[in-house]
Amino acid sequence: MTALGSKTAATPSATPPRLMTRKRWVIIWLAFIGLSINYLDRSSLSVALPFMGKDFELTATQQGLIFAAFFWAYDFCQLAAGWYVDKVGPRRSFSLAAVWWSAFTMVTAAASSFWSLFAARFLLGVGESPAPSTAAKVVATWFPVRERAFATSIWDSGSRVGAVTALPIVTLIVALTSWHAVFIIIGVAGIIWAAVWWKYYRSPEEHQGANTAEVDYIREGGARGEASDDAGAAKLPWRSLFKYRTVLSMMFGFFCLNSAIYFFITFFPSYLVKERGFDLLKLGFFGAIPGICAVLFGWLGGYLADRAVRAGASVTKVRKTAIAGGLAGGSVIMFAALVPEAWMALALLSVAYSSLTVAATGIWSLPADVAPSSRHVGSIGGLQNFASNLAGIFTPILIGVLVDQTGSFVAPLAVIGAVSLVGAANYLFIMGKIEPLKVKEAWTQQ
């Protein structure tokens, strides 16, 4: 019987029924592929740029400005993107976003100057802005609480997979053809994925492949759907979310996390080439190690978090342990520029990136954990992602300026490590209990 048919009563259970379909896992792995392409698009320039010297003569500061152009658009569109995701739903928001970002990825191949490259990156950022909030909404809609962290770790690992695969894929394409072909090929992949997502994605109740047992399991496990929303909470205005300390803490904490993560998305390849003397072959092979570690430990962290919730641990304890512990572990990035050998730097960067990824899994579980209704999951995801990507604006510029002024990466990595520790303290001591936000009646009438 499909999800559109009549349902029989089911007893809530942490163990999935044997005859239950598993369409939620197909959905989340499809979202993973979408996020992988999303991050492959945005990371491809950072890998290709060191080998575009014959066409572009850019200082480190100019490179930082080009990297930041993406985040200026991506970040300030987050506020509207979260609202848009809640308004139109994941099917439409993800498909249209993928078409947009793929188109401007291909436009990058036609860039011929600083300003044309700047414009292409800016418009790419506009198109990519709905993606993470959409994925968070998908998890909230399709997964019970006891599976939320692992499902989040899957789609969030797409960002790491995209960044990791950018190294061998881009270097191979550059070696065989030219840097122009990189952006054409990746853009076409995004268009194909958008068509598949539009064809396949539906909500659990509307999906022809999800049977009654799976839909009941999802809903009884605490997934967020309009049918279970409190009427008063659903009316909470978007602007009232800023009145909650929990939301403000989420915004600040995610800013701290991304201050470290965006080093890996922007200047990491340049660091290996310029500071550690990596050539094209070494960059494509050894440069992928931190990202591979991050993907594996992100999945492990999500799995262990869900296992702890199923064993009876509170969501607050599980999320704070993963997030604060991950940020603390990420602070070892400050030592990577100090060690004498390249393999030592790679080891430290692998520890840092893996720890930060575990933290990110917990952070992206929070919108579904704290949203007062299903209509606020995307909005809260957009708010925290807006704050986090302010780091995408400032961090590349800061790194570029400090590298130009000091001639090394010691100072910028020290700053990034310190900010990670501040972020850990924020989640431990500022954020309160992790639960759906309580709605005051007066706030719903504004």
Side-chain angles (χ1 to χ4, degrees):
M1 183 180 297
T2 69
L4 295 175
S6 60
K7 297 181 176 67
T8 57
T11 303
S13 172
T15 303
R18 288 186 177 182
L19 298 179
M20 184 179 72
T21 54
R22 299 291 192 276
K23 296 302 178 182
R24 63 194 184 282
W25 297 108
V26 177
I27 292 285
I28 204 61
W29 281 109
L30 186 57
F32 158 81
I33 295 172
L35 265 294
S36 298
I37 296 173
N38 178 282
Y39 269 76
L40 177 59
D41 285 4
R42 76 172 68 178
S43 301
S44 57
L45 181 64
S46 66
V47 182
L49 199 56
F51 308 102
M52 293 163 60
K54 64 180 181 180
D55 298 303
F56 297 88
E57 295 295 336
L58 303 173
T59 66
T61 299
Q62 286 178 314
Q63 292 178 41
L65 287 169
I66 288 173
F67 289 138
F70 170 91
F71 294 106
W72 287 336
Y74 179 81
D75 191 33
F76 286 103
C77 285
Q78 286 298 319
L79 299 176
W83 171 87
Y84 174 72
V85 171
D86 283 330
K87 182 73 174 178
V88 306
R91 180 174 180 243
R92 183 179 299 177
S93 64
F94 224 161
S95 298
L96 295 180
V99 170
W100 179 294
W101 86 56
S102 299
F104 284 100
T105 296
M106 291 186 281
V107 166
T108 306
S112 59
S113 66
F114 169 82
W115 285 112
S116 59
L117 193 55
F118 184 97
R121 293 292 292 182
F122 184 90
L123 292 170
L124 176 67
V126 174
E128 292 202 359
S129 59
S133 295
T134 299
K137 180 88 169 182
V138 169
V139 171
T141 303
W142 272 89
F143 287 86
V145 175
R146 54 183 165 264
E147 295 177 352
R148 189 172 289 163
F150 184 56
T152 298
S153 75
I154 291 174
W155 76 255
D156 185 58
S157 69
S159 63
R160 257 58 72 185
V161 170
V164 168
T165 56
L167 287 163
I169 288 175
V170 173
T171 53
L172 178 62
I173 295 174
V174 170
L176 295 178
T177 57
S178 69
W179 66 265
H180 302 83
V182 169
F183 302 103
I184 299 297
I185 294 171
I186 296 173
V188 170
I191 296 292
I192 295 172
W193 180 88
V196 174
W197 180 263
W198 179 264
K199 176 72 174 178
Y200 190 79
Y201 184 84
R202 298 292 189 278
S203 68
E205 291 81 4
E206 297 174 340
H207 200 288
Q208 294 290 340
N211 65 10
T212 302
E214 181 171 19
V215 175
D216 289 343
Y217 175 76
I218 291 168
R219 291 292 171 240
E220 291 164 359
R224 311 302 298 268
E226 292 188 7
S228 59
D229 283 344
D230 176 78
K235 296 179 180 178
L236 181 71
W238 176 87
R239 62 183 178 275
S240 295
L241 294 171
F242 289 97
K243 299 180 180 180
Y244 290 94
R245 184 181 72 174
T246 296
V247 174
L248 296 178
S249 177
M250 289 167 61
M251 294 172 69
F252 176 73
F254 206 177
F255 170 87
C256 295
L257 179 84
N258 268 6
S259 294
I261 281 184
Y262 276 117
F263 164 77
F264 292 94
I265 297 174
T266 56
F267 274 94
F268 175 59
S270 295
Y271 165 77
L272 294 181
V273 171
K274 295 179 180 179
E275 196 91 344
R276 296 296 177 177
F278 279 36
D279 58 19
L280 185 65
L281 180 61
K282 285 185 177 180
L283 178 63
F285 184 77
F286 293 106
I289 292 175
I292 293 172
C293 292
V295 170
L296 296 177
F297 278 92
W299 290 348
L300 178 61
Y303 169 78
L304 293 177
D306 284 342
R307 184 173 179 178
V309 170
R310 287 194 293 269
S314 72
V315 172
T316 298
K317 181 178 180 180
V318 171
R319 298 287 185 260
K320 287 192 173 187
T321 298
I323 297 171
L327 278 161
S331 68
V332 303
I333 195 173
M334 67 177 68
F335 303 113
L338 300 176
V339 294
E341 301 293 336
W343 70 266
M344 297 178 182
L346 275 177
L348 288 170
L349 290 170
S350 297
V351 171
Y353 205 4
S354 299
S355 300
L356 294 168
T357 301
V358 172
T361 296
I363 286 173
W364 270 116
S365 297
L366 293 178
D369 292 333
V370 308
S373 79
S374 66
R375 299 180 185 182
H376 295 92
V377 175
S379 297
I380 293 177
L383 288 179
Q384 72 166 6
N385 211 32
F386 160 74
S388 75
N389 283 284
L390 290 174
I393 295 175
F394 297 117
T395 299
I397 297 175
L398 175 65
I399 293 175
V401 170
L402 288 176
V403 170
D404 279 343
Q405 293 297 318
T406 65
S408 77
F409 282 83
V410 173
L413 293 187
V415 172
I416 290 171
V419 172
S420 296
L421 292 175
V422 172
N426 164 75
Y427 284 104
L428 282 177
F429 305 116
I430 304 299
M431 176 173 282
K433 187 177 181 181
I434 298 173
E435 61 184 358
L437 302 174
K438 302 295 189 297
V439 178
K440 295 183 180 180
E441 183 177 353
W443 292 1
T444 65
Q445 299 173 352
Q446 296 178 3

